[in-house]
Amino acid sequence: LEVRRLFNFDATNCELLDSPIFGTWGESIPVNCCDIDSLVTIELRVTDEEGNSSVCWTDVLIEDKLPPLCLPPNSLQVTCLEVEGELPDNLNDAFDQDPDGTAALLDQLFGEATAADNCGGAIIEQSVIDTRTTCGSGTIFRTFVAVDEQGLSSTAPCTQQVIVAPVHDYTITFPADRSSNECVEPEFEG
């Protein structure tokens, strides 16, 4: 039992050939990303013990069923002073108004997610949930999805958590202790 396929393109660069050619007979046939969503002509040859052989052929639709992978940037913690003036006060609103610009800003500040796909060409889509308070501290949740050229999406969670920690850069000064044996209201300075 042997099989071969008809090549309509150069398998190394996906360029169409001037005329199709059959590959060599073997136990299996190669397919690659150039074949996706196309019919590939396959021949099957059976040879008996006497050397008699018969060939049949069929067309096989090649489909990409593998979703891409999404790799998020590492989660991190920053102080509100480190991002002061860098982030909009409300990322949820900013993302609604300008998703591409806001995503680019977040990528620059906190890192980019990457996509890996068996056929390349996957892109990253991003969404944001901003739970920071009016003081600027809280958590920013970034969720990423890798989408390939076939429309398949990554299935594993792909998130980054950015904790924006408050900075308590102040001093509380209490007045000095006073004592009295009289039942009077004490006087305090300052």
Side-chain angles (χ1 to χ4, degrees), residues 128-149:
V128 174
I129 298 174
D130 184 5
T131 65
R132 292 177 300 144
T133 66
T134 54
C135 295
S137 63
T139 305
I140 300 167
F141 298 93
R142 299 173 69 200
T143 302
F144 307 94
V145 177
V147 180
D148 70 11
E149 292 176 345

Side-chain angles (χ1 to χ4, degrees), residues 145-169:
V145 177
V147 180
D148 70 11
E149 292 176 345
Q150 304 307 310
L152 299 171
S153 298
S154 54
T155 55
C158 188
T159 59
Q160 179 191 42
Q161 187 176 16
V162 179
I163 298 170
V164 182
V167 174
H168 301 289
D169 193 15

Side-chain angles (χ1 to χ4, degrees), residues 106-130:
L106 294 174
D107 287 348
Q108 178 185 359
L109 292 172
F110 306 127
E112 296 181 42
T114 55
D117 188 52
N118 59 322
C119 289
I123 61 167
I124 293 289
E125 295 176 353
Q126 180 177 164
S127 61
V128 174
I129 298 174
D130 184 5

